[in-house]
Amino acid sequence: MGLQFFINAILLGGLYALMGLGFSLQWGISGIINLSYGAMVVLGSYLSLVLFNTLGLDPFISLIFSGFILFFLGALVYRFSLQPLLKGGIVFTLIITFAIRLVIENIILLIWSADYRTIRVSYAGSSLQLFNTFIPLTKFLTFIIAGILVYFTYLFMMNTKIGKGIQAVALDKEGALAVGVDDQKMYMINFAVGTALAGITGSLWANIYSFSPHIIGVIVGKVFIIAILGGLGNIWGAAAGGILLGFAETSGATFIGSQWQEAIGLVIMVAVLLFRPHGLIGKKFFG
Amino acid sequence: MVCLMDKKIILDIQSISKHFGALKAVDQVSFQAEKGEIVGLIGPNGAGKTTLTNIVTGDLKKTGGKVFFKGIDISNLLPFQVARLGLTRTYQIVKPLEGMTVEENVLVGSLYGRANRKNNLYQGRKKAREIMKLVGLDKKRDSLVSDITLPDLKRIEFARVLAMEPEVVFLDEVMAGLNPSEVEEASELIKKIRKEKNLTIIYIEHIMKAVMGISDRIIVLHHGKKICEGSPKEVCENPAVIEAYLGKRFAKEVINNQ
Amino acid sequence: MTNIEKKSKFSKNIILVIVFIILFILLPRFISGYYTRILTAIFMYAAIAQGFNLMSGYMGYLPFGNIMFFGIGAYVTAIFMGRGFPFITAVFLAALAAVITSIILGFPVLRLRGHYFAIATIGMNGAIMSVVQNTTEITGGAMGTTLPIIPQAPEIVYNYFYLAMFALMVLTTLVIYLVINSKFGYAIRSIKANEDAANSMGINTTYTKIITWAISAFFTSLAGALYGYWMSFIAPEEVFDVMISVNTIVMMLIGGAGTILGPIVGAFILEIVSEFAWSGFMEYHLAVLGIATIIIVFFVPQGVLGTLGNMIKNRKSTFKKKVGMSNG
């Protein structure tokens, strides 16, 4: 155990925090369980791959493009396929988002095949050394960027007009409607912010891990756990949930065996659902 | 001319409390109801009437106190257990069974209510039709509840409750949204049914006028506390009630006029 | 409609159903093995979709991870047949295992509503799959396991499974039909309509939900048991695949959730579309399936049978208005 274990866990958890945040916002505020979230993350990875191979762009820079493109994709998906079916309830949103996942997955397969890909930036091998522990530079930067983005999301929700509108519809829909907030527009922007975070996560992921359409399902599993651990729509909750999952997986891999890694996360999730359905943090929305 | 032998206490509420954090929604309320009695439970909005109902029927967990029904402690029972013993309620905001017809709504009551747990579908349907006739729903029995007007939805709530053959019923603002002639009609119906079935009714209302003509006894709640109990006349003349309740009304009117 | 009319319509329907059953029993004699296999798969999906229909279409609880019972059915059958038990005994034990699992999990999980319930069942499915993957000595682990092969000509064996799956579909549909039209069925439908009201009307909702899930688990596990024996090889990622859940939920939606024949109609439509996608658009089949799903959900949100039912109802009521009848 020791320091190296702690550092590994927290570095992994930082990426998970950002990854889970978008999903948690979409579910908690727009009310949509986005089963295409994993496909959107991986799409971000492939966008960075293309920009790296053609323009030599570092994923830490191309994440801006992933974010933008997926923001607009998310807005379109919400406006034209989810919003018209909201009345149908949970069954419809689940099925539609799953169908979107199939379409994205198929497009990725057609263009890039099912092979695992990696992006190796020039400094991929270098690492920081601290008290006998190694901190890979890419993972360290990923952690920092993820932290900054979580904080930016928080600032966006708390300080901008749109963010306040989103908060208003999340907390008191009738009240928000009464003061003239366009609820569907807020849900759409919130959903698009969520997919943008998915795309950015994908770019970050591509810089440190390999990726292929096979990891789509695994990512969906993880974001479920993070969102439920933290409480739906709760920004700091998602961050805490991500870190917690990072610790759970790292300790699972260290002490029990890495094959049980996924089961541990799922068992924790079900336990939280049963005993603390509002998440470990407890308060709903924005913490 | 009160015959003591007839006085049978069926519902005994003993210092029930419900706190939501610092807010005392219901604060040590006690009262009793006799077999066949109509007890009016009144008070301004937010006085704790519905919260009290929810506690008695098991929909809400209490903070303190006890409820006895026919001598049985029902304080910790679940709603369906309370219902099967013979204590039921209507909801202030109607809760029809969506996607079902009027008859099916009443049928569920007659299949699963108190005396009816052994009813099969045939007996249940027969019972449901009797009740629908009694409350005047027989012509609409095959309509879906989504196609029904508010007064009829309230009728369904009432019919459903009757189909369960209860001994005590909490009627939670069944008159809200009805026009004066409908209120008159409903009051007659309630009186008729009370007489026929020797039913005990806890009648919740915040319009004083509607309660006066129908109740044998009235209990006034204010800020979760019982401030007065007595005959309709006594309650009307009670200074505490005038100050807390009737007075507030005037204050409200002043605000509205501004 | 008078009672006599109702009765004559009812007996007409029964005759129609019997004709269809005989037709499907005889069908394999006239079609190739390829189509027999497709039909077998359709029957299997229809049976699974009925399990979803009972839970979701009638009771309003979407057990997204219901496929765990399919996996349990397949694996328990494989484990016991691997130890020399006959198929019938193994199937019985498999169904028992599924029912017991559903009851044990049901007590805590069925307290959750809506999204939370759906997600908790996905989590449980994943956890059970993990256990199967990692208890290699018993289950054969992540690489999968085999079941005995019936020592007869393939056409005959396929015909067995065709008939068995068909029987399962008919049995599942019949039982769910009877349950829904019984007194217990009113308790199930009340929970979908308004769970709080159902509870206050004397319905023990916890008990109702658990029994209903157990029925759903029972039939889903039978489908899994038959599937394992049919394929004679199963792997955890295949029989616990959430994709099967999604597919069968889509089938239920296409046919019409909360209608008794909806899941069967939906299974036929989606399986044919997806066969078409496979054979016609090999590389694009996922996208074709996804887009087809979106289109179907958009244009027939109440399912084929629900939409047809509404059309018939509307025509009847306009007819009545024209003729001037007021009493239904």
Side-chain angles (χ1 to χ4, degrees):
Chain A
M1 206 165 120
L3 199 57
Q4 184 69 53
F5 162 81
F6 185 79
I7 286 171
N8 290 347
I10 212 155
L11 289 180
L12 182 64
L15 181 63
Y16 282 178
L18 184 67
M19 187 165 84
L21 175 57
F23 184 76
S24 180
L25 288 176
Q26 291 178 337
W27 187 359
I29 295 171
S30 301
I32 285 160
I33 301 183
N34 181 8
L35 292 180
S36 68
Y37 195 83
M40 287 168 169
V41 170
V42 176
L43 194 58
S45 302
Y46 280 101
L47 288 174
S48 276
L49 178 73
V50 170
L51 291 171
F52 182 74
N53 286 346
T54 53
L55 304 175
L57 222 52
D58 191 310
F60 286 136
I61 294 165
S62 63
L63 60 83
I64 298 167
F65 294 97
S66 300
F68 265 107
I69 291 171
L70 274 134
F71 180 89
F72 288 109
L73 179 69
L76 289 175
V77 162
Y78 184 86
R79 179 64 193 80
F80 293 106
S81 66
L82 293 169
Q83 193 183 325
L85 285 169
L86 285 180
K87 285 196 304 288
I90 176 191
V91 187
F92 285 91
T93 49
L94 283 174
I95 293 304
I96 288 289
T97 54
F98 194 83
I100 290 165
R101 174 208 150 148
L102 291 183
V103 175
I104 296 176
E105 191 176 351
N106 201 168
I107 291 169
I108 291 174
L109 278 170
L110 282 175
I111 303 178
W112 292 289
S113 85
D115 296 342
Y116 276 90
R117 306 290 175 129
T118 46
I119 295 174
R120 272 190 75 81
V121 289
S122 56
Y123 51 90
S126 42
S127 57
L128 310 170
Q129 248 177 310
L130 191 79
F131 306 116
N132 284 333
T133 58
F134 285 94
I135 308 173
L137 189 59
T138 47
K139 287 194 181 182
F140 178 71
L141 289 174
T142 298
F143 179 80
I144 299 291
I145 292 172
I148 291 171
L149 283 170
V150 171
Y151 187 61
F152 275 7
T153 310
Y154 174 75
L155 290 180
F156 168 74
M157 289 294 181
M158 296 317 261
N159 295 324
T160 64
K161 199 180 164 204
I162 289 173
K164 282 178 179 166
I166 291 172
Q167 262 192 83
V169 291
L171 293 170
D172 177 8
K173 194 173 160 186
E174 271 73 39
L177 285 175
V179 296
V181 177
D182 178 353
D183 63 327
Q184 284 305 330
K185 187 177 152 201
M186 293 305 145
Y187 290 142
M188 182 182 81
I189 293 171
N190 176 67
F191 188 84
V193 167
T195 54
L197 291 173
I200 293 169
T201 307
S203 295
L204 292 172
W205 180 290
N207 217 1
I208 47 182
Y209 302 114
S210 59
F211 51 93
S212 98
H214 293 302
I215 66 167
I216 290 175
V218 178
I219 290 175
V220 176
K222 288 188 201 301
V223 291
F224 265 124
I225 297 168
I226 298 163
I228 286 168
L229 286 183
L232 303 180
N234 183 328
I235 293 175
W236 297 121
I243 302 280
L244 206 65
L245 183 64
F247 270 91
E249 286 192 354
T250 310
S251 49
T254 315
F255 305 121
I256 310 175
S258 56
Q259 75 272 25
W260 290 100
Q261 201 166 298
E262 271 178 53
I264 290 165
L266 291 169
V267 167
I268 294 177
M269 177 187 87
V270 173
V272 168
L273 269 176
L274 295 178
F275 300 111
R276 295 215 47 142
H278 289 302
L280 291 174
I281 305 286
K283 265 199 304 184
K284 242 185 154 187
F285 303 129
F286 302 109
Chain B
M1 287 251 296
V2 179
C3 177
L4 281 173
M5 292 303 288
D6 281 348
K7 270 205 162 189
K8 194 184 158 221
I9 287 164
I10 187 161
L11 182 68
D12 186 2
I13 292 170
Q14 299 181 350
S15 60
I16 282 290
S17 294
K18 176 69 191 179
H19 302 174
F20 295 106
L23 176 75
K24 290 179 178 174
V26 176
D27 192 11
Q28 305 233 330
V29 172
S30 303
F31 68 87
Q32 297 173 329
E34 292 159 23
K35 185 99 185 120
E37 192 183 19
I38 297 184
V39 180
L41 189 59
I42 62 170
N45 282 328
K49 301 170 305 231
T50 300
T51 308
L52 181 65
T53 310
N54 285 338
I55 289 169
V56 174
T57 57
D59 287 301
L60 201 64
K61 285 222 162 60
K62 63 186 174 4
T63 311
K66 275 201 154 78
V67 184
F68 290 90
F69 173 55
K70 296 191 286 191
I72 305 163
D73 183 359
I74 60 163
S75 324
N76 296 313
L77 296 187
L78 295 166
F80 80 91
Q81 293 168 317
V82 175
R84 284 178 181 183
L85 282 173
L87 190 155
T88 72
R89 55 94 55 90
T90 63
Y91 286 96
Q92 184 180 359
I93 299 154
V94 288
K95 291 189 179 178
L97 301 174
E98 294 287 347
M100 291 192 182
T101 65
V102 172
E103 178 173 290
E104 286 173 328
N105 263 266
V106 183
L107 177 59
V108 172
S110 70
L111 285 176
Y112 286 94
R114 180 177 71 99
N116 317 303
R117 280 182 53 208
K118 288 193 182 104
N119 271 354
N120 62 27
L121 274 176
Y122 177 76
Q123 295 160 326
R125 198 163 277 136
K126 206 170 133 194
K127 169 116 209 144
R129 290 193 177 166
E130 267 169 40
I131 302 284
M132 282 188 292
K133 205 162 212 172
L134 190 67
V135 302
L137 276 171
D138 43 343
K139 287 204 177 93
K140 290 178 180 134
R141 72 171 192 229
D142 289 328
S143 313
L144 283 173
V145 290
S146 47
D147 304 334
I148 289 283
T149 58
L150 183 69
D152 278 339
L153 282 176
K154 302 227 160 187
R155 277 207 176 92
I156 294 176
E157 286 264 315
F158 195 44
R160 243 168 31 179
V161 162
L162 289 180
M164 292 166 70
E165 301 213 324
E167 291 177 69
V168 174
V169 177
F170 280 72
L171 296 180
D172 197 350
E173 301 205 4
V174 280
M175 305 293 190
L178 303 188
N179 67 35
S181 76
E182 286 165 346
V183 168
E184 189 73 21
E185 208 181 301
S187 298
E188 286 310 310
L189 183 65
I190 290 170
K191 279 189 207 159
K192 182 176 129 194
I193 284 161
R194 186 267 292 259
K195 214 171 179 184
E196 258 177 43
K197 314 237 168 200
N198 197 24
L199 197 62
T200 307
I201 294 173
I202 314 295
Y203 187 79
I204 300 161
E205 198 53 77
H206 73 269
I207 311 165
M208 265 217 161
K209 215 177 120 193
V211 192
M212 292 303 166
I214 208 172
S215 308
D216 302 318
R217 195 152 53 92
I218 284 175
I219 289 157
V220 188
L221 289 188
H222 185 61
H223 289 321
K225 280 199 173 77
K226 184 169 92 174
I227 56 168
C228 176
E229 176 175 353
S231 71
K233 190 160 173 283
E234 285 165 356
V235 167
C236 272
E237 290 163 359
N238 187 300
V241 178
I242 293 167
E243 205 224 324
Y245 188 26
L246 303 173
K248 282 268 162 67
R249 179 85 59 81
F250 286 119
K252 219 178 200 174
E253 273 174 23
V254 173
I255 292 165
N256 286 342
N257 286 341
Q258 272 176 351
Chain C
M1 203 184 285
T2 67
N3 267 345
I4 299 163
E5 271 178 78
K6 251 184 196 164
K7 262 188 195 146
S8 77
K9 200 185 160 201
F10 185 67
S11 49
K12 235 189 241 166
N13 282 344
I14 289 226
I15 291 169
L16 209 68
V17 167
I18 290 172
V19 168
F20 264 105
I21 288 176
I22 294 172
L23 207 80
F24 273 112
I25 290 174
L26 296 176
L27 197 59
R29 292 165 191 266
F30 306 107
I31 57 176
S32 74
Y34 170 73
Y35 289 107
T36 311
R37 282 197 296 281
I38 291 180
L39 282 170
T40 312
I42 290 175
F43 300 150
M44 180 184 83
Y45 284 131
I48 301 169
Q50 285 291 22
F52 278 105
N53 195 26
L54 179 65
M55 281 297 286
S56 169
Y58 288 110
M59 200 170 72
Y61 274 75
L62 184 69
F64 218 91
N66 226 24
I67 211 61
M68 72 177 102
F69 302 117
F70 185 80
I72 289 172
Y75 261 97
V76 174
T77 307
I79 290 165
F80 282 99
M81 286 187 83
R83 280 159 184 62
F85 285 81
F87 178 66
I88 295 294
T89 317
V91 169
F92 175 78
L93 292 168
L96 193 69
V99 167
I100 290 172
T101 310
S102 73
I103 292 171
I104 292 172
L105 298 183
F107 270 104
V109 180
L110 281 163
R111 285 189 330 203
L112 305 169
R113 291 187 186 180
H115 290 178
Y116 291 104
F117 173 75
I119 296 330
T121 61
I122 295 187
M124 287 174 162
N125 179 59
I128 292 177
M129 179 169 86
S130 249
V131 170
V132 172
Q133 280 171 331
N134 292 309
T135 48
T136 313
E137 310 81 55
I138 306 169
T139 61
M143 298 306 291
T145 187
T146 56
L147 288 91
I149 293 170
I150 301 174
Q152 271 171 0
E155 310 88 66
I156 298 174
V157 173
Y158 284 140
N159 203 13
Y160 283 163
F161 284 108
Y162 173 91
L163 290 175
M165 284 293 188
F166 182 64
L168 175 65
M169 179 186 82
V170 172
L171 181 74
T172 309
T173 308
L174 183 70
V175 169
I176 290 178
Y177 177 80
L178 292 175
V179 166
I180 286 308
N181 285 291
S182 72
K183 180 174 166 176
F184 189 67
Y186 279 97
I188 293 176
R189 289 172 56 206
S190 302
I191 289 174
K192 181 182 184 182
N194 192 322
E195 189 164 342
D196 292 331
N199 204 333
S200 80
M201 288 167 80
I203 292 168
N204 185 344
T205 47
T206 312
Y207 165 85
T208 307
K209 288 187 287 186
I210 286 173
I211 298 293
T212 308
W213 204 25
I215 296 171
S216 174
F218 176 77
F219 288 111
T220 310
S221 73
L222 290 187
L226 278 176
Y227 175 80
Y229 200 22
W230 179 30
M231 292 290 123
S232 75
F233 171 80
I234 51 170
E237 301 232 319
E238 178 198 354
V239 292
F240 289 98
D241 188 357
V242 177
M243 183 79 193
I244 306 177
S245 276
V246 174
N247 265 333
T248 42
I249 291 169
V250 173
M251 288 169 178
M252 171 189 79
L253 288 178
I254 293 173
T259 61
I260 192 66
L261 294 178
I264 298 177
V265 172
F268 270 91
I269 295 176
L270 189 69
E271 194 53 22
I272 288 165
V273 168
S274 99
E275 260 323 299
F276 173 69
W278 261 113
S279 53
F281 306 90
M282 188 62 185
E283 286 188 306
Y284 313 92
H285 81 276
L286 282 179
V288 171
L289 207 61
I291 291 167
T293 303
I294 295 172
I295 291 172
I296 292 168
V297 170
F298 254 85
F299 290 101
V300 273
Q302 286 181 302
V304 174
L305 292 187
T307 311
L308 272 179
N310 279 352
M311 276 163 62
I312 292 168
K313 219 168 98 189
N314 287 340
R315 271 178 66 182
K316 264 191 188 160
S317 63
T318 48
F319 174 74
K320 267 179 205 160
K321 270 175 204 155
K322 273 183 194 160
V323 182
M325 292 183 343
S326 62
N327 213 348

